[in-house]
Amino acid sequence: MNNKDFPIPHNELERLAALKRYNIIDTLPENAFDDATKLVSYICGVPIAHISFIDEDRQWFKSEIGIGLTEVPREISFCQYTIMDTKMLEIPDTHLNDTFKDDDNVTGGFKVRFYAGVPLTTPDGYNIGTLCAIDHVTKELNDDQRNALSIVAKHVVNQLELRTKNIELAKQKKIAERAVFAKDSFLANMSHEIRTPLNAIIGFTDLLAQTTMDNVQRDYIESVQVAGENLLIIINDILDLSKIESGNLTIDAQSFNLKKTLKHIYNLLKVKASKDIEVNLFLDADMPDVVIGDQGRLNQILVNLVGNSIKFTQEGEVTVSVKKVGETDDDYSLKFSVKDTGIGIQKDKLKTIFDRFTQAEESTTRTFGGTGLGLNIVKQLVELHKSEIHVKSEVNRGSEFFFVLTYKKAPPAVNAVKTVSKNSLGQLKILLCEDNILNQKLVKSVMKNFGFELDIADNGEAGIEFLSKNNYDLVLMDLQMPVKDGYQTTEYIRNEMNSTIPIIAMTAHSLVGEQERCFNVGMDAYVPKPFKQAALLGAIKTVMSKDPKPLQKRKLDLSFLDEMSCGDPDFKMEMITLFVEKIPNETAQLQDAFNHNDTETVMRVAHNMRSSLDIFMLHDLTNCLSVIEEEARLGQFTSETVNKIEILHCGIIEVIKTLKEL
């Protein structure tokens, strides 16, 4: 049987195409297939067993026991006959079989005396390989053994299907991740491009509003201010939505005065209501003054809800009420309700009212404006507090939105009110590093109003030259500039000039982790554009004081690790220790490979790091690695790679520091 001719299935081309779809040939060993081979050897009591696949000219062994080869020519294989039929091929004694009795592996070689092979048949009916049991002595399988072999063969095919689906799923996941990051980068870049001119529009409008004008001019200016604020709200809504989706928006638990916060929101929004609308605020007498929670997110939730109620109510009232519904030794449960007598929502629309870009009626946007993002953001912010928002509504009768939030109790010492010093900063000399001429003029006017002296540098290199020749009290640093950007300039000021001058970052860019990176390179504060004069002055006062505001620590989400540990603290601590020991080395290896333009190593290390970071739910840093890996795969690093590696480096430092404290 040593001839080069071998039997060919009638559907050979289709069979080979089916085999190719699984992409299994020449792959590494896999436990699932090795376990199936061991099971066949055990069930049939044979020393030789294998799972093999047959292509154009060879039989390739995915898993084997007792063979010691990875492949053999197709024409000398027994399995070339097995794939010709759908049934099991069983040969109790090869010496009595006319086809096999003179085969080299019967008379010598593996000394095959018994052979049983089951074709591996795909769901669409193609025999792409075999599951075999082989012995050196004569043998005959019983019905249970034959049935078991058939079941294992089906299991192998199912494993192939699952493997293929997982590979495809992994590909789709990568595509989805790239799409998410492309979207995030697009939103961040568009945010920067929109915020830069918007910063100038809002800033100059604020300055113009402080001048003497007649009533008509003041009315025009106020209209421009409202339009600018509305545009800024839309941009912030879109960016917040992106941050929530990528898991980068977290609850910042700080002590705050709840009653003052609610009264501030009430006073702010009452002004926006028309004279035909009465805005009410009802606070439970038992509710606490001070709690620990996220004041900013509560502001955002209520401003969206109350703003909506005012917008959709033409006459009647809008009522905000807060009631204490529960209390334990550690926390309060408070029910928040926003009720109005507005246009209401149709019953069939209530289920979709919280979907993004959705409003109750198509005409709503034309009549009342808005993006349809507000309620979706509210819903996700409430869920971020581990709660749910509910709505009741009746057309032309009004709506009520309500939810329950749990806040930690503040210790008595926290209730003490700190007095903020109102001492004048005096005459400050400030250096602005900024390349946008509109922003230069805006900051110059604002600084003049503050009574400060200002010099302007068009880029970081020019800023360094100014610093080397003059004495300044403070630097306002744009992050994106030609020649030397804000990061490079700050590093030079800190490391080469050994200067401790306060530096405030000012940027229209809104990349994840950017604020963390600013503090890590040595900046002292961060003011996003468009900036409010009060916010900028507050930042200047903070950095000029001797007690600067500390950098907010990254909050780690260990929920996945807790789930994996099944309550075993030793396992959890072991995983943390491994992470602390392993990740800084890999980060250094990634940086070194990037410096040497070694795309293969960058791609491999970035891919390996992602799985480790996923365990600790570090989605923003995983996102950075996805971008780095993709650019390495394309074989060309860009400024985006540099940015992501810097953000990753700063993030890892902060994570390791936090984990070590555990």
Side-chain angles (χ1 to χ4, degrees):
M1 205 194 75
N2 294 325
N3 60 310
K4 297 296 181 183
D5 297 324
F6 46 80
I8 303 291
H10 69 281
N11 57 2
E12 177 70 354
L13 290 178
E14 292 84 353
R15 187 191 73 82
L16 292 172
L19 172 61
K20 189 175 181 180
R21 280 200 303 271
Y22 288 105
N23 198 27
I24 191 72
I25 297 289
D26 296 322
T27 57
L28 295 172
E30 296 175 52
N31 289 335
F33 296 99
D34 289 343
D35 289 344
T37 306
K38 291 172 187 174
L39 187 61
V40 169
S41 176
Y42 174 77
I43 290 170
C44 299
V46 296
I48 301 174
H50 67 73
I51 295 169
S52 65
F53 298 96
I54 299 176
D55 64 13
E56 295 91 336
D57 52 16
R58 60 179 173 154
Q59 177 183 13
W60 179 80
F61 300 105
K62 174 62 179 174
S63 176
E64 53 82 19
I65 293 175
I67 294 178
L69 298 173
T70 57
E71 62 182 63
V72 296
R74 177 172 174 174
E75 63 266 19
I76 70 167
S77 69
F78 283 33
C79 296
Q80 62 181 305
Y81 296 95
T82 306
I83 63 172
M84 295 300 294
D85 204 346
T86 57
K87 301 188 296 293
M88 178 188 298
L89 174 62
E90 183 178 354
I91 306 170
D93 187 351
T94 56
H95 288 180
L96 302 178
N97 184 284
D98 291 338
T99 303
F100 296 104
K101 64 183 180 181
D102 296 324
D103 188 275
D104 290 344
N105 280 316
V106 172
T107 58
F110 289 106
K111 297 188 181 298
V112 177
R113 194 71 184 268
F114 164 79
Y115 172 89
V118 183
L120 299 175
T121 307
T122 67
D124 45 359
Y126 299 109
N127 295 339
I128 58 173
T130 59
L131 173 74
C132 296
I134 299 170
D135 208 337
H136 305 303
V137 297
T138 59
K139 187 185 291 288
E140 189 167 348
L141 301 179
N142 59 40
D143 289 340
D144 287 340
Q145 289 172 316
R146 293 188 186 99
N147 188 43
L149 275 183
S150 296
I151 291 171
V152 174
K154 288 177 183 176
H155 167 76
V156 169
V157 173
N158 288 338
Q159 190 63 37
L160 279 174
E161 287 286 315
L162 181 62
R163 181 182 180 278
T164 303
K165 285 182 172 65
N166 285 340
I167 291 172
E168 182 59 31
L169 189 62
K171 286 181 182 176
Q172 293 302 321
K173 183 184 176 186
K174 276 192 174 183
I175 292 171
E177 285 175 348
R178 285 199 294 269
V180 168
F181 284 105
K183 181 202 71 175
D184 284 347
S185 294
F186 171 77
L187 288 176
N189 289 325
M190 285 306 298
S191 158
H192 178 266
E193 295 304 319
I194 295 171
R195 280 170 183 265
T196 297
L198 186 59
N199 177 55
I201 293 169
I202 292 176
F204 281 121
T205 306
D206 285 345
L207 290 172
L208 191 57
Q210 297 169 22
T211 63
T212 303
M213 292 178 288
D214 60 36
N215 291 337
V216 174
Q217 290 170 327
R218 187 159 297 282
D219 182 53
Y220 289 164
I221 286 297
E222 287 174 357
S223 297
V224 173
Q225 285 178 312
V226 170
E229 293 293 340
N230 287 341
L231 182 55
L232 190 56
I233 288 170
I234 293 171
I235 294 169
N236 289 338
D237 278 353
I238 293 171
L239 290 173
D240 276 350
L241 195 62
S242 175
K243 288 177 183 175
I244 291 170
E245 284 181 339
S246 60
N248 295 312
L249 201 63
T250 57
I251 296 299
D252 177 22
Q254 302 286 340
S255 173
F256 72 98
N257 191 306
L258 179 60
K259 286 186 177 178
K260 282 188 177 179
T261 298
L262 294 168
K263 288 175 182 176
H264 172 73
I265 295 171
Y266 166 72
N267 291 328
L268 177 71
L269 293 170
K270 183 176 67 171
V271 178
K272 293 190 175 184
S274 69
K275 62 181 180 179
D276 298 323
I277 303 172
E278 183 180 349
V279 181
N280 304 306
L281 175 64
F282 296 136
L283 302 181
D284 190 347
D286 292 334
M287 68 174 282
D289 284 339
V290 179
V291 295
I292 294 176
D294 195 324
Q295 179 184 11
R297 297 306 164 198
L298 178 62
N299 271 338
Q300 200 171 0
I301 292 168
L302 291 178
V303 166
N304 261 304
L305 290 177
V306 179
N308 261 11
S309 289
I310 291 173
K311 182 165 68 172
F312 296 122
T313 302
Q314 295 175 332
E315 60 180 4
E317 60 183 21
V318 173
T319 301
V320 181
S321 61
V322 184
K323 183 178 181 181
K324 187 176 78 174
V325 294
E327 181 178 357
T328 67
D329 291 340
D330 298 321
D331 49 48
Y332 301 104
S333 293
L334 304 171
K335 180 180 179 181
F336 295 82
S337 167
V338 178
K339 193 173 184 179
D340 63 61
T341 58
I343 62 175
I345 305 165
Q346 290 184 11
K347 192 173 182 180
D348 62 335
K349 301 290 185 180
L350 288 176
K351 290 183 179 179
T352 60
I353 195 67
F354 292 105
D355 293 348
R356 73 187 58 175
F357 306 114
T358 299
Q359 294 188 332
E361 297 290 344
E362 289 182 3
S363 60
T364 301
T365 300
R366 293 193 298 272
T367 307
F368 298 98
T371 61
L373 287 174
L375 286 180
N376 181 261
I377 290 172
V378 166
K379 176 177 181 287
Q380 298 200 58
L381 287 175
V382 171
E383 289 174 351
L384 205 60
H385 285 80
K386 303 188 186 309
S387 185
E388 293 180 351
I389 186 166
H390 305 276
V391 58
K392 296 177 186 174
S393 189
E394 194 174 334
V395 175
N396 298 323
R397 296 290 296 274
S399 306
E400 181 185 10
F401 291 85
F402 56 95
F403 54 92
V404 175
L405 297 185
T406 300
Y407 287 116
K408 292 287 183 187
K409 289 183 175 180
V414 179
N415 293 333
V417 179
K418 286 183 71 176
T419 57
V420 179
S421 172
K422 295 185 178 179
N423 293 336
S424 171
L425 292 170
Q427 194 75 21
L428 296 183
K429 188 172 182 180
I430 295 175
L431 173 64
L432 170 68
C433 296
E434 166 70 69
D435 64 316
N436 185 287
I437 191 167
L438 283 176
N439 287 335
Q440 290 175 358
K441 289 184 177 180
L442 173 61
V443 175
K444 188 174 183 179
S445 296
V446 171
M447 292 300 110
K448 185 179 179 182
N449 280 356
F450 291 164
F452 302 150
E453 184 182 344
L454 185 75
D455 284 342
I456 298 172
D458 291 326
N459 57 65
E461 193 74 61
I464 290 168
E465 190 173 342
F466 271 97
L467 281 170
S468 64
K469 294 178 179 177
N470 306 300
N471 292 322
Y472 295 97
D473 299 296
L474 172 75
V475 178
L476 299 177
M477 185 75 71
D478 184 37
L479 296 185
Q480 288 192 322
M481 295 181 292
V483 189
K484 259 188 173 43
D485 64 25
Y487 298 113
Q488 295 167 329
T489 306
T490 301
E491 286 177 337
Y492 187 91
I493 292 169
R494 295 292 185 239
N495 301 327
E496 301 298 326
M497 301 180 73
N498 295 318
S499 172
T500 58
I501 186 171
I503 300 175
I504 298 177
M506 297 181 67
T507 179
H509 221 305
S510 189
L511 286 171
V512 172
E514 186 176 59
Q515 185 171 352
E516 192 173 73
R517 182 182 172 191
C518 287
F519 282 95
N520 275 289
V521 298
M523 298 184 198
D524 301 280
Y526 181 98
V527 176
K529 299 175 187 174
F531 64 84
K532 286 289 186 182
Q533 294 184 42
L536 179 57
L537 185 58
I540 292 173
K541 285 181 177 179
T542 299
V543 299
M544 294 305 295
S545 70
K546 293 183 179 179
D547 184 24
K549 184 179 178 181
L551 171 62
Q552 181 183 331
K553 287 188 177 180
R554 172 187 286 271
K555 291 177 175 60
L556 294 184
D557 182 355
L558 301 179
S559 57
F560 181 69
L561 186 58
D562 289 334
E563 185 180 334
M564 286 176 59
S565 66
C566 300
D568 182 353
D570 291 336
F571 173 79
K572 182 177 175 181
M573 192 51 64
E574 182 184 359
M575 292 293 287
I576 291 173
T577 303
L578 283 171
F579 184 91
V580 169
E581 292 174 351
K582 173 188 174 188
I583 292 301
N585 293 332
E586 291 187 344
T587 307
Q589 188 181 355
L590 184 75
Q591 181 71 59
D592 184 64
F594 170 73
N595 292 340
H596 290 87
N597 204 32
D598 183 353
T599 55
E600 288 294 325
T601 302
V602 168
M603 186 165 56
R604 176 176 53 80
V605 174
H607 185 80
N608 290 340
M609 288 180 69
R610 280 172 55 197
S611 58
S612 300
L613 267 58
D614 279 338
I615 293 173
F616 288 81
M617 309 288 280
L618 299 167
H619 301 302
D620 59 325
L621 302 184
T622 305
N623 291 349
C624 290
L625 285 168
S626 295
V627 174
I628 294 166
E629 184 183 350
E630 177 61 17
E631 296 217 337
R633 188 186 67 79
L634 295 173
Q636 186 173 6
F637 295 129
T638 66
S639 59
E640 184 75 354
T641 322
V642 178
N643 190 51
K644 296 300 183 186
I645 287 178
E646 285 293 335
I647 291 174
L648 176 71
H649 176 71
C650 296
I652 291 296
I653 291 173
E654 188 67 21
V655 170
I656 296 299
K657 183 180 177 183
T658 305
L659 285 175
K660 283 182 176 179
E661 291 173 357
L662 295 177

